[in-house]
Amino acid sequence: MNIILLGPPGSGKGTQAKRIEQRHGIVQLSTGDMLRATAASGTEFGTRVKAIMDSGQLVPDDTIIEMINDRIAQPDCRRGFILDGFPRTVPQAEALDAMLARHGLKLDHVILLDVDAATLVDRLSGRFTCNRCGASYHERYNQPRREGICDVCGSPEFVRRADDRPEAVTARFEVYRRQTEPILPYYTERGILRRVDGVADIDAVTAEIESVLSSASSSGGPV
Ligand code: AP5
């Protein structure tokens, strides 16, 4: 099963992708996590990537497309994958179609997490993430089960993301509106996009996603 999770910054893509990964045994492919690893590498390229991310802008399409193309060819993607944070522009959506066709794969579901702006700001301002695996938590809505220990990987180290500062959050919302929202019609026109109420609590969102996933594949054939 191959899935795209779409939604604005803070809509819960990462939180839900980790749950789908655990429940269905398919791999989460988070371009944000991959880029944060690159940014932390200390290379000149990593430093450039970090500056782009911290400002809330998008990394160039070519870089991202090459990264995902390499990643979906890996053996752990054979059972399926959840794209979290990709595609984010129309050229990325078009490139995804081409790469799926090359690999003989199809999209089964494209799910949009619908969340209003005030809720997004509240979520991003209270978020902290695991420094090792990137799992997202929230000061009020989503604390680790054992205080100070990541539920997913057991790490005791948490960080706040530089792009969750208010100036960067404003830029990320604007970038989402200008560059990512235009891909919604791309999937709506093909009848594959399903909207899920992302404002509900985390378990309720998971339940709604599960109901979409258990429905027949939305696309019905190769893209
Ligand atoms: P990325 O890491 O993908 O960031 P994003 O899309 O802005 O999304 P977030 O990770 O901020 O939020 P999320 O939707 O995963 O929400 P989460 O589950 O954490 O990208 C970062 C940057 O990398 C980009 O700005 C760009 O520079 C670059 N980049 C990445 N992909 C790219 C691409 N394809 N092309 C070009 N550049 C790219 O939840 C948020 C908070 O809310 C958490 O605290 C969580 O615990 C809480 N929460 C979640 N769900 C709920 C709920 N239902 N109720 C209450 N709280 C909730």
Side-chain angles (χ1 to χ4, degrees):
M1 180 163 60
N2 302 318
I3 304 166
I4 299 179
L5 274 188
L6 295 174
S11 55
K13 301 181 297 294
T15 302
Q16 297 297 334
K18 288 225 160 13
R19 287 179 165 210
I20 299 169
E21 180 176 62
Q22 284 169 357
R23 194 173 174 127
H24 294 273
I26 59 177
V27 190
Q28 175 195 18
L29 303 183
S30 159
T31 42
D33 287 350
M34 293 177 205
L35 291 168
R36 277 183 283 282
T38 303
S41 65
T43 61
E44 196 188 320
F45 177 63
T47 306
R48 284 207 304 276
V49 165
K50 182 171 169 18
I52 296 171
M53 294 175 79
D54 288 356
S55 70
Q57 300 302 313
L58 295 185
V59 172
D61 285 339
D62 291 355
T63 304
I64 299 290
I65 290 164
E66 191 182 328
M67 205 168 77
I68 288 291
N69 192 40
D70 291 348
R71 190 62 189 86
I72 65 174
Q74 302 295 314
D76 63 340
C77 289
R78 281 194 199 129
R79 291 195 58 199
F81 48 79
I82 312 140
L83 291 168
D84 160 12
F86 178 91
R88 242 175 163 100
T89 62
V90 171
Q92 290 183 19
E94 290 167 349
L96 175 63
D97 280 353
M99 74 178 86
L100 291 173
R102 270 199 308 279
H103 291 284
L105 300 170
K106 70 179 180 74
L107 277 177
D108 296 290
H109 302 280
V110 180
I111 298 174
L112 171 68
L113 298 177
D114 233 345
V115 180
D116 61 275
T119 303
L120 295 172
V121 170
D122 183 38
R123 286 190 188 169
L124 293 177
S125 61
R127 169 164 65 182
F128 58 100
T129 60
C130 171
N131 200 22
R132 188 193 295 162
C133 75
S136 267
Y137 297 93
H138 193 280
E139 290 162 354
R140 295 187 301 286
Y141 311 128
N142 183 23
Q143 294 172 353
R145 284 191 293 273
R146 282 169 59 208
E147 195 184 337
I149 304 288
C150 175
D151 295 345
V152 178
C153 73
S155 168
E157 281 180 43
F158 296 92
V159 287
R160 297 232 177 215
R161 279 172 44 174
D163 61 352
D164 281 347
R165 285 173 298 109
E167 320 81 83
V169 166
T170 305
R172 286 161 66 200
F173 287 167
E174 177 56 19
V175 165
Y176 178 78
R177 199 190 56 71
R178 222 169 359 94
Q179 292 183 261
T180 306
E181 275 185 352
I183 72 176
L184 301 183
Y186 187 82
Y187 292 114
T188 307
E189 280 157 20
R190 293 169 4 167
I192 192 177
L193 183 78
R194 300 283 293 272
R195 285 172 190 265
V196 162
D197 173 18
V199 179
D201 71 43
I202 294 175
D203 288 343
V205 176
T206 303
E208 204 179 331
I209 290 175
E210 284 303 322
S211 123
V212 172
L213 299 185
S214 62
S215 65
S217 160
S218 312
S219 72
V223 286

